[in-house]
């Protein structure tokens, strides 16, 4: 009996060690769900089926996608690092687990302003903003929203202290996005700034 | 509910952090530089108001912040709570009571709803003590175990009365960029490792006993 209990404990211990990995898998799956639900909703809009969508039949079949898609402000694509992420309002813990958080209350993609977009420096290669440090000046960043796609070009990359919020300053006449993630040791912030083409 | 909260079995680890940031909100003052310099607000302590760990349901924490008008103009001031990172659920659960220097209650409600109080004026050279009493409510259940939240109490000044909920343009990021690092989950590795070692020890003890019995 004691031997059986010993083996059971070994399995329980291995499970506990695997929890962070399983959790990561769960968040990755949630991230994909958000992307797919946004794309589904976007497709419905672009195909001008919103009227049909409001009809009872369509509504019941797509309710889940609509709820998820409503939370997503848009998608951000960075080809250089082969990344597509859902963008959610606010850099809360829950949002940063499954995508990028958009700072501030008013989002102004395509308009004059400076929109901060933060995401975790994930421990998993390629996930979230794990490879943001590989993005270079001249690379393109595409923001996809229900209102349309916006093409930005990276014009600056640098590292700042966490309290340097001047990176979110608006530059006159410019429509900017500022991508934010942590350095590996989490003590500083990697900043990638891009302007609307 | 986050998967994380299912698994943490240790004591409640709740980190709340108040940061008081100061912004000279000068947009409505006459635009020449002299007037901009004349409007000045400072707070003591200037940064950390609350830094509390391991709190339990029912715990309350009181901190006082002194606002000082060290400029040449009288101004109106306003404060609000802005969550910067961490669990929104825990942030929404916390309650807050705010007192002025005469111990009048100027706000009583959910921390998440704290967008300020009736506009208050502070004359040049005067100061005012504002007391913040935060409470983690008794009725809070186990689902908050292991969650953390961080938020700023932002204070700003203006020449005109500022209505509650009027966002400060400068306060978008709450004075600090989001914490976007992912910690290595040592907690799981250590606990898991200990459980595995205990299991191995149990298994080997049995074997050893049997070998001794065989001799």
């Amino acid at each position: 009996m004691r031997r059986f209990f010993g083996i059971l404990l070994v399995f329980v211990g291995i499970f506990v060690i695997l929890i962070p990995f399983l959790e990561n898998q769960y968040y990755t799956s949630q991230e994909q769900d958000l992307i797919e639900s946004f794309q589904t909703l976007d497709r419905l809009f672009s195909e001008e089926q919103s009227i049909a969508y409001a009809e009872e039949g369509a509504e019941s079949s797509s309710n889940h996608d609509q709820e998820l898609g409503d939370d997503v402000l848009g998608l951000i694509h960075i080809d250089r690092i082969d990344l597509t992420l859902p963008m959610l309002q606010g850099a809360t813990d829950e949002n940063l687990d499954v995508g990028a958080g958009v700072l501030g209350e008013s989002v102004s993609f395509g308009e004059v302003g400076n929109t901060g977009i933060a995401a975790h420096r994930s421990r998993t290669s390629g996930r979230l903003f794990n490879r943001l440090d590989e993005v270079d000046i001249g690379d393109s960043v595409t923001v996809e929203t229900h209102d349309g796609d916006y093409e930005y070009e990276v014009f600056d990359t640098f590292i700042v202290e966490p309290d340097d919020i001047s990176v979110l300053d608006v530059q006159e006449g410019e429509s900017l996005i500022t991508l934010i993630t942590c350095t590996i040791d989490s003590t500083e912030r990697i900043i990638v700034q891009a302007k609307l083409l | 509910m986050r998967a994380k909260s299912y698994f943490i079995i240790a004591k409640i680890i709740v980190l709340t952090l108040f940061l008081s940031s100061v912004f000279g909100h000068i947009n409505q003052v006459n635009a020449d530089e002299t007037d901009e310099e004349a409007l000045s607000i400072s707070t003591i302590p200037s940064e950390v108001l609350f830094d509390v760990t391991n709190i339990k349901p029912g715990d309350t924490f009181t901190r006082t912040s002194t606002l000082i008008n060290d400029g040449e103009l009288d101004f109106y001031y306003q404060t609000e709570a802005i969550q910067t990172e961490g669990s929104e659920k825990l942030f929404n659960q916390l309650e807050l009571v705010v007192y002025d220097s005469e111990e009048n209650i100027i706000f009583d409600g959910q921390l998440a709803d704290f967008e300020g109080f009736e506009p208050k004026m502070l004359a040049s050279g005067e100061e005012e003590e504002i007391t913040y009493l935060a409470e983690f409510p008794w009725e809070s259940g186990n689902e908050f175990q292991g969650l953390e939240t961080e938020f700023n109490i932002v204070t700003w000044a203006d020449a005109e009365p500022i209505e509650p909920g009027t966002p400060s343009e400068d306060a978008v990021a709450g004075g600090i960029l989001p914490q976007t690092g992912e910690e290595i989950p040592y907690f799981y590795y250590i606990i898991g490792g200990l459980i595995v070692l205990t299991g191995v020890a149990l298994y080997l003890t049995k074997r050893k006993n049997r070998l001794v019995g065989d001799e």
Side-chain angles (χ1 to χ4, degrees):
Chain A
M1 186 63 191
R2 182 181 283 191
R3 190 177 168 192
F4 168 76
F5 193 58
I7 293 172
L8 185 68
L9 275 184
V10 169
F11 278 109
V12 170
I14 291 171
F15 175 73
V16 170
I17 291 170
L18 286 176
I19 285 174
F21 170 77
L22 298 173
E23 204 175 53
N24 197 36
Q25 295 297 105
Y26 171 73
Y27 291 142
T28 305
S29 138
Q30 289 274 300
E31 181 189 317
Q32 287 308 313
D33 283 351
L34 287 173
I35 291 172
E36 284 166 20
S37 60
F38 176 85
Q39 287 171 333
T40 303
L41 204 57
D42 205 38
R43 203 161 43 242
L44 285 169
F45 283 139
S46 63
E47 289 169 1
E48 296 182 347
Q49 290 180 346
S50 52
I51 297 169
Y53 180 75
E55 288 173 9
E56 209 169 322
E59 195 175 338
S60 60
S61 64
S62 301
N63 251 355
H64 178 65
D65 281 343
Q66 186 185 14
E67 281 170 22
L68 277 174
D70 281 350
D71 294 335
V72 182
L73 298 175
L75 303 180
I76 181 167
H77 306 275
I78 308 177
D79 292 341
R80 158 80 75 173
I81 55 175
D82 196 22
L83 180 75
T84 294
L85 271 187
M87 295 184 296
L88 302 155
Q89 183 68 61
T92 63
D93 212 7
E94 285 86 351
N95 288 349
L96 293 183
D97 280 337
V98 296
V102 177
L103 310 182
E105 292 171 1
S106 58
V107 179
S108 55
F109 294 119
E111 297 170 14
V112 172
N114 187 352
T115 304
I117 303 169
H120 272 313
R121 183 79 185 263
S122 172
R123 295 185 307 276
T124 307
S125 177
R127 187 160 183 260
L128 303 175
F129 277 173
N130 170 270
R131 293 174 61 198
L132 189 66
D133 57 330
E134 296 175 28
V135 174
D136 277 335
I137 293 170
D139 288 348
S140 76
V141 178
T142 307
V143 169
E144 180 184 348
T145 71
H146 291 310
D147 299 328
D149 294 356
Y150 302 97
E151 197 79 30
Y152 293 83
E153 183 180 289
V154 175
F155 67 93
D156 205 358
T157 65
F158 50 97
I159 290 174
V160 299
E161 294 294 320
D163 59 356
D164 186 0
I165 59 168
S166 67
V167 298
L168 297 172
D169 286 350
V170 177
Q171 294 179 18
E172 197 173 348
E174 298 281 8
S175 174
L176 307 180
I177 53 173
T178 298
L179 312 184
I180 304 163
T181 195
C182 282
T183 51
I184 288 175
D185 60 5
S186 296
T187 58
E188 295 174 304
R189 302 291 183 270
I190 294 173
I191 304 296
V192 171
Q193 289 193 309
K195 67 175 69 172
L196 189 68
L197 289 176
Chain B
M1 186 179 293
R2 302 179 59 213
K4 200 180 283 179
S5 58
Y6 285 114
F7 303 116
I8 296 184
I9 53 173
K11 61 193 173 186
I12 299 172
I13 305 168
V14 181
L15 171 69
T16 62
L17 175 67
F18 272 63
L19 287 176
S20 177
S21 306
V22 181
F23 297 101
H25 191 73
I26 52 179
N27 294 347
Q28 294 174 30
V29 186
N30 293 336
D32 73 68
E33 285 185 8
T34 311
D35 279 353
E36 289 183 7
E37 287 168 3
L39 188 66
S40 175
I41 179 174
S42 46
T43 63
I44 299 174
S46 61
E47 284 197 357
V48 178
L49 268 176
F50 278 56
D51 186 353
V52 183
T53 57
N54 300 337
I55 66 173
K56 304 180 294 300
D59 282 355
T60 59
F61 304 92
T62 305
R63 298 289 187 278
T64 300
S65 170
T66 305
L67 304 180
I68 303 168
N69 183 347
D70 50 10
E72 296 168 11
L73 295 177
D74 298 348
F75 62 62
Y76 291 87
Y77 63 89
Q78 192 55 276
T79 70
E80 68 176 318
I82 299 175
Q83 188 190 14
T84 52
E85 62 182 272
S87 165
E88 196 173 343
K89 185 176 166 183
L90 176 58
F91 179 71
N92 291 336
Q93 181 72 4
L94 294 172
E95 293 177 353
L96 182 74
V97 183
V98 184
Y99 301 90
D100 65 12
S101 52
E102 290 161 0
E103 298 191 358
N104 298 316
I105 294 178
I106 52 179
F107 177 83
D108 185 359
Q110 299 295 116
L111 173 66
D113 296 335
F114 179 54
E115 295 182 333
F117 28 73
E118 286 299 305
K120 293 177 72 70
M121 198 193 73
L122 196 59
S124 173
E126 297 290 310
E127 58 183 59
E128 167 109 38
E129 271 191 1
I130 302 291
T131 302
Y132 299 93
L133 188 151
E135 179 175 8
F136 188 41
W138 267 112
E139 62 272 19
S140 305
N142 290 335
E143 68 269 26
F144 295 98
Q145 285 188 11
L147 297 183
E148 298 180 358
T149 189
E150 287 188 18
F151 51 93
N152 293 352
I153 296 284
V154 180
T155 306
W156 70 94
D158 202 330
E160 303 293 327
I162 311 163
E163 292 302 321
T166 308
S168 161
E169 290 173 14
D170 294 322
V172 169
I176 196 163
L177 297 171
Q179 168 60 257
T180 47
E182 277 195 344
E183 292 175 4
I184 298 170
Y186 290 117
F187 176 82
Y188 293 99
Y189 296 158
I190 291 169
I191 297 294
L194 286 174
I195 295 172
V196 168
L197 285 176
T198 308
V200 169
L202 271 178
Y203 182 81
L204 290 179
T205 306
K206 177 66 180 172
R207 263 191 86 191
K208 194 176 170 187
N209 287 345
R210 186 178 291 170
L211 287 172
V212 170
D214 289 345
E215 283 176 3

